[in-house]
Every structure is written in structure tokens, then in C-alpha cells.
Amino acid sequence: MQLWLALCVATNSSAWLSTAVLVTNMRNFPFSRGTVAGILKGYSGLSAAVFTEIYSMLLNNSSSKFLLFLATGVPIICFLLMYLVRPCTPASGQDTHEHGHFLFTQSASVVLGVYLLTTTILGHMIKFSTNVSYTLLIIMVILLMAPLAIPVKMTLYPSRNNKLGILEQSVADENLEKTEPLLKPSSSATTLESLNDSDSEVAMLLAEGEGAIKKKRRPKRGEDFNFREALVKADFWLLFLVYFVGVGSGVTVLNNLAQIGIAQGVHDTKILLSLFSFCNFAGRLGGGIVSEYFVRSRTIPRTFWMTCTQLIMIVTYLLFASAIDGTLYIATALLGVCYGVQFSIMIPTVSELFGLRHFGTFFNFMSLGNPLGAFLFSGLLAGYIYDQEVAKQQGLNLLASSASAACLGPNCFRLTFLVLAGLCGVGSIFSVILSLRIRPVYQMLYAGGSFRIPNQTSGR
């Protein structure tokens, strides 16, 4: 019961942190949504490897110390940095320096990911001394904090273009206030204009009363929806189903990756987990970068890349099911990339289709696809088939099988992988339909090669 309560609090707190960071940054950078989503979800994907380094190098594989670190260290960091995560007024257009800042952050995250993968693999092969472990940990912290160089640089060396822009704006405002019309309207003209305005207002009220004019209309795709308005849209449910299939099938393999490796003869599954983690990070970061480039250059809907990755996932699951020698690591790497892409595509897509005003609600509803898929595909499907195969191999019925018994051979997960491949086939069809439906929306939003904020619904 205590473990259940701890997991419940931990997972809920994670959702709160993710929502706060994502919503704030998506609103602060509305013109680079794919890039922002890729960076944030990429660092989220690296967090497990970072905590693993802390657990093994700093805390000497002590579970009690690690739980104490999570219980005290994480809240302290949140309290110290919570004031930095705040909404700010976004630029009215594309910032010339923004691309360079994003590129620096992406490069820093890639270096950090490669470093974590390398040190994790070496840590399984070589026993590091205490001094070497602390040195590697310090380097990891420096790489993790590298993006802070951007605000420090902007504070110490503010951009000259920004200064000029602010100065020109203030001068223009002053000139606008000082400018007076060459011909001032007479008092009779003013009176006539006020009478015309009052007549038009009366006519508008009469028309609204008769039902000829409706002041409020339903939003169009690309504008701000509320949750009820989004629920009746086919695009909303298509996106949810595509995301549900992609992450639900991927998390099934992730949850059972150690058992999959053991079933196929891999005794040390830590490298498999590290490989999946790094490729998951690469998919999250790369999905945001690639989708942002093609949506700006060719107005290709972001969901096109969900279609591509889920088609690759079909091949990947067939590779898992075949259990051919030498394909396990290849399939794990491919699945990690495809699994990560689902996150960095869903986030900007839902904000572009249904707006940023209620983005937090939409994002968390879509995120239900992950635990729902884990429950259905991992807990019910994969778990049941695995237990049945264990019972066959032990020569016992399911109820009498030992909880510690391990299943060996490709049959342990073969049927599960075939079912997951079929689900991804269905998800690919839904993704194609969704991409065709929302292509006009992206042509409207990115017609000029950059994001255009659509006119919002009146009266909202």
C-alpha cells in the first residue's frame, strides 16, 4: 500500500511538472513549437539516464539514499527554479537570434546524450574508482547546465538589434501620439457620426434579437478550442488514436525489454535499456527538428512523420517476432527512435489544431494514451501470453507457476509482437487519414514559410 501511494504521488507530480514546463514554453515560443517540444521531451527522455548516473556514481547503488535524494533534492530544485518558469510576452515575429539559441541547446543535449550512453556502457565494462566517478558526474552536471549559458549571455551582452527594436517602437508610439489630423471634424460632423453609430448599434441589436446575426461562432481548426468543442471533432480523436497506438505499443516493449532480452538469450539487458533510452531521446529531439523544418518549407503536416514511424514500427515488431540472430539490438534502436517521435509530434500538433488557450487540458488528455496502452497491451496482452508460455515450459498450469520463473525462446512474445504490428498498421491508416484532413490547416498556418497566428473567434 505504501509503495502504491508513493508511486501515485510520484507519477502525479511528474505530470504537474511536465504540464507547467510544456504549457509555459509553448506559449512563450509559439513560432517554434516543434523545436520546443523536441528539446523539452528530449531532456525528459534523458532524465532516466541522468538519475541512473547519480544512483550508481554518487550514491553507490544505495536504494535508500536514492529515495532520500528524490524526496528532498527534487523539491529543493523545484523551489529554487520555479520562478524561472514563467510566461513572458513572445516576440511578434521570428527572432533572428532564436534559431541560434535553439541550435546550441539541441547540440548540448546531443553531447549530453552521447556522454551518458558512453559512460553507462563503460560503467558496465569497467569498475570506476571514486575519483573518476565524481569527475564523470561533474562533467555530466556541466553538460546538463550548459543551456543556462544562453540567458547569461543575453543578460551580460544584450542584443543590439533588440535594443534598436525597442527604441524604434517607443519612438513610433510617441510620434503616433503626437500626430494630429490635418483637418479637424466640425461639431456638426461629430454629432452626425455619433447618430450614425447609435443607429448602427440599434440595428445590430435588432438583428441579433431576430437571429439574423450570431455574435459567437464555433472555432475553426487552428483557433482556440475549449475542451467540449474539441471533443466533437474527428481530428481530435484521430490524433488520440494514432498517439495511443504509437506510444501504447512502444511502452509495452519498454516495460518488458528485460524479459524480451532474456527470452532471446541476452543475459545483461542493461545495454539494451541504455540503447533504447538514447534512441528514444534521439527520436524525441529529431522528431521536433525534422517536423519543424518540413512544416515550414513544404507545409507537410507533422502527423506525416507519425505515419512513417509507425510503418517502421511494423517492421520492427516483425523483427522482434522473428528473433533472428543479430536483429535484437537493431530492432531496439529503431523502436526507441520511433517511440520518441510520437511525443514530439503530438505536442505541437494538438496546439496547432486546437490552440494554446487550453493546451494543458488537451496535452494531458492525449497523454492518457501512454498509461492506457501500457495497461491494455503490456499488462493484459503481453503479461497474459508470457505467463501462459511460462506455464507451458514449466509443465504446470498458470496458477501453480512460479512467480520467479523466466520464459525462454521466441514464443514468449511472438504473438504479442504480431498483435502490436497489426495495431501499428491500423494506426498508420488513421494517421494517413488525419494527415490528409489537416493538410489545409497547415497550408493556412505556414503558407509563408513561418507560423501565422490565425484570427481568433470573436467574443471568446
Side-chain angles (χ1 to χ4, degrees), residues 250 254 257 271-280 332 335-336 339:
L254 177 59
L257 192 56
I271 296 179
L272 269 181
L273 294 169
S274 300
L275 179 63
F276 185 94
S277 177
F278 176 77
C279 293
N280 177 29
T332 301
L335 183 62
Y339 176 71

Side-chain angles (χ1 to χ4, degrees), residues 133-414:
S133 297
Y134 287 163
T135 302
L136 294 176
L137 195 64
I138 291 172
I139 295 174
M140 182 195 73
V141 173
I142 293 174
L143 293 176
L144 188 61
M145 305 296 286
L148 287 177
I150 296 174
V152 171
K153 174 250 182 185
M154 294 179 67
T155 302
L156 298 178
Y157 305 100
S159 172
R160 185 171 179 270
N161 293 333
N162 291 341
K163 289 182 177 180
L164 291 176
I166 296 173
L167 181 60
E168 290 173 359
Q169 183 66 32
S170 61
V171 172
D173 292 341
E174 292 179 359
N175 293 336
L176 184 62
E177 294 176 357
K178 294 180 180 180
T179 302
E180 296 181 358
L182 296 177
L183 296 176
K184 294 184 178 181
S186 62
S187 59
S188 59
T190 305
T191 304
L192 181 60
E193 183 178 355
S194 63
L195 290 174
N196 291 335
D197 291 340
S198 61
D199 291 339
S200 63
E201 290 176 1
V202 171
M204 181 70 70
L205 291 174
L206 291 174
E208 290 178 6
E210 296 173 357
I213 296 178
K214 294 183 179 180
K215 192 172 184 180
K216 184 179 179 180
R217 65 173 176 84
R218 291 183 178 181
K220 298 179 181 179
R221 293 175 302 179
E223 298 177 348
D224 286 320
F225 283 70
N226 61 38
F227 189 60
R228 286 185 177 181
E229 292 167 340
L231 282 178
V232 298
K233 291 295 182 181
D235 296 337
F236 183 85
W237 290 107
L238 282 172
L239 180 59
F240 177 80
L241 289 174
V242 173
Y243 179 73
F244 163 71
V245 170
V247 299
S249 61
V251 77
T252 300
V253 177
L254 177 59
N255 290 344
N256 297 277
L257 192 56
Q259 289 86 351
I260 293 170
I262 292 172
Q264 297 193 19
V266 177
H267 300 288
D268 188 2
T269 59
K270 293 180 180 179
I271 296 179
L272 269 181
L273 294 169
S274 300
L275 179 63
F276 185 94
S277 177
F278 176 77
C279 293
N280 177 29
F281 153 73
R284 295 184 184 209
L285 183 66
I289 296 173
V290 173
S291 68
E292 191 73 19
Y293 173 78
F294 281 97
V295 79
R296 290 176 180 273
S297 61
R298 300 189 181 181
T299 64
I300 295 177
R302 298 185 193 273
T303 50
F304 170 79
W305 304 106
M306 296 181 87
T307 307
C308 295
T309 51
Q310 292 198 15
L311 289 174
I312 297 174
M313 290 171 81
I314 296 174
V315 179
T316 302
Y317 292 136
L318 294 178
L319 283 176
F320 275 117
S322 66
I324 301 174
D325 292 339
T327 60
L328 179 60
Y329 290 96
I330 297 174
T332 301
L334 286 175
L335 183 62
V337 172
C338 296
Y339 176 71
V341 168
Q342 312 301 311
F343 293 91
S344 57
I345 296 297
M346 179 275 290
I347 293 171
T349 300
V350 74
S351 73
E352 289 162 341
L353 293 180
F354 305 106
L356 287 172
R357 180 171 297 181
H358 302 282
F359 168 70
T361 304
F362 299 141
F363 163 69
N364 283 291
F365 185 86
M366 292 287 173
S367 298
L368 290 175
N370 199 328
L372 185 60
F375 172 72
L376 294 176
F377 305 145
S378 180
L380 298 183
L381 175 65
Y384 175 78
I385 296 174
Y386 185 86
D387 291 339
Q388 289 288 337
E389 190 62 29
V390 168
K392 290 180 183 178
Q393 293 184 6
Q394 297 294 326
L396 302 172
N397 58 39
L398 181 60
L399 295 176
S401 61
S402 173
S404 60
C407 182
L408 301 177
N411 290 330
C412 301
F413 290 96
R414 176 168 289 162

Side-chain angles (χ1 to χ4, degrees), residues 95-142:
D95 188 353
T96 55
H97 298 278
E98 192 174 274
H99 176 71
H101 295 159
F102 282 139
L103 185 61
F104 175 80
T105 306
Q106 291 163 350
S107 302
S109 65
V110 171
V111 173
L112 175 62
V114 174
Y115 177 80
L116 290 172
L117 179 64
T118 304
T119 53
T120 301
I121 295 175
L122 290 177
H124 295 152
M125 300 170 59
I126 305 172
K127 179 64 177 179
F128 294 130
S129 64
T130 303
N131 292 333
V132 173
S133 297
Y134 287 163
T135 302
L136 294 176
L137 195 64
I138 291 172
I139 295 174
M140 182 195 73
V141 173
I142 293 174

Side-chain angles (χ1 to χ4, degrees), residues 44-113:
S44 176
L46 287 177
S47 61
V50 171
F51 284 122
T52 300
E53 296 284 292
I54 295 174
Y55 172 74
S56 60
M57 295 184 179
L58 180 64
L59 305 178
N60 298 320
N61 297 318
S62 173
S63 300
S64 58
K65 292 181 180 179
F66 183 64
L67 290 176
L68 180 63
F69 168 78
L70 294 178
T72 58
V74 174
I76 291 173
I77 293 174
C78 290
F79 279 117
L80 291 176
L81 301 180
M82 62 185 295
Y83 295 103
L84 301 178
V85 183
R86 63 181 188 274
C88 61
T89 304
S92 58
Q94 295 292 329
D95 188 353
T96 55
H97 298 278
E98 192 174 274
H99 176 71
H101 295 159
F102 282 139
L103 185 61
F104 175 80
T105 306
Q106 291 163 350
S107 302
S109 65
V110 171
V111 173
L112 175 62

Side-chain angles (χ1 to χ4, degrees), residues 24-46:
T24 303
N25 283 280
M26 293 291 283
R27 290 177 177 174
N28 289 345
F29 303 97
F31 300 100
S32 304
R33 302 184 189 188
T35 304
V36 170
I39 290 174
L40 294 178
K41 298 307 290 185
Y43 272 101
S44 176
L46 287 177

